[in-house]
Amino acid sequence: MSDFNAFVSPEYPILHTVLSADETPEEVPDGFSAISLALLVKGIPSFLATIPVAAEDVARITRSLDSGDVRVAVVGMSVDQKDVLDATGEPDEPWKASTPILEGLDEAEEDNTLPAAFLSLVCRDGRRIGVARIVARQGSASPEEVARFVLKQIARGVQIPDLAQAG
């Protein structure tokens, strides 16, 4: 296994809201809740993601989020183009889709890899919470360049969904 370069942000205050399956039944499967996360970047809330959490883990995760400011860790790595094309996510599993969904890729080129950035939050108590996978539209950048780019955009307050237009 190759070593991965992780890039870590300064600390940000975090806001979070827990949504139960009763509040969003079409998006959260049975036995899960959803946690919506936002960073305060330069005093302005920046939506990061809504992630599914097993109901029995919600209290532990919210305790970690309540423990103080968080850092954003971004790891650059290559992903197989076919895996990205296959990860469309069903309507009841939106978190399985890559962000952004790639456009204009040739499914016949299954051997190609694309640079990606995997985002997670690092809580003050050490818990890591996976948030998103951002895949570059083209393979011209290195995974490390994509990771650095994503971290810089987050520091500017760019929303995760808006990175689709930035890449």
Side-chain angles (χ1 to χ4, degrees):
M1 178 184 276
S2 31
D3 294 328
F4 300 108
N5 288 328
F7 302 95
V8 181
S9 75
E11 291 185 338
Y12 292 105
I14 183 92
L15 304 172
H16 65 278
T17 301
V18 177
L19 305 168
S20 69
D22 295 339
E23 294 173 301
T24 57
E26 68 281 355
E27 296 175 9
V28 181
D30 289 338
F32 281 79
S33 293
I35 298 180
S36 290
L37 304 163
L39 299 175
L40 282 178
V41 179
K42 298 177 184 172
I44 299 170
S46 176
F47 175 74
L48 196 57
T50 297
I51 59 169
V53 176
E56 64 268 11
D57 295 333
V58 170
R60 288 188 294 271
I61 291 174
T62 56
R63 220 176 5 259
S64 291
L65 292 168
D66 288 338
S67 69
D69 294 347
V70 299
R71 293 181 186 267
V72 179
V74 184
V75 176
M77 60 180 60
S78 295
V79 296
D80 189 309
Q81 178 178 328
K82 182 183 181 317
D83 292 342
V84 174
L85 291 171
D86 290 344
T88 58
E90 297 300 320
D92 62 340
E93 298 173 320
W95 51 86
K96 288 188 178 177
S98 294
T99 304
I101 299 298
L102 300 174
E103 298 171 2
L105 293 176
D106 183 3
E107 287 189 59
E109 298 177 21
E110 294 177 11
D111 295 337
N112 288 347
T113 60
L114 294 168
F118 290 81
L119 280 72
S120 60
L121 297 180
V122 181
C123 298
R124 185 159 290 186
D125 66 2
R127 181 182 300 274
R128 294 179 75 92
I129 301 169
V131 176
R133 174 176 77 169
I134 308 293
V135 180
R137 292 178 190 266
Q138 300 173 3
S140 59
S142 73
E144 290 78 17
E145 290 171 323
V146 173
R148 277 196 231 80
F149 174 79
V150 167
L151 200 56
K152 285 179 187 175
Q153 295 303 306
I154 289 171
R156 291 182 49 225
V158 174
Q159 307 292 313
I160 294 293
D162 292 341
L163 286 173
Q165 286 75 38

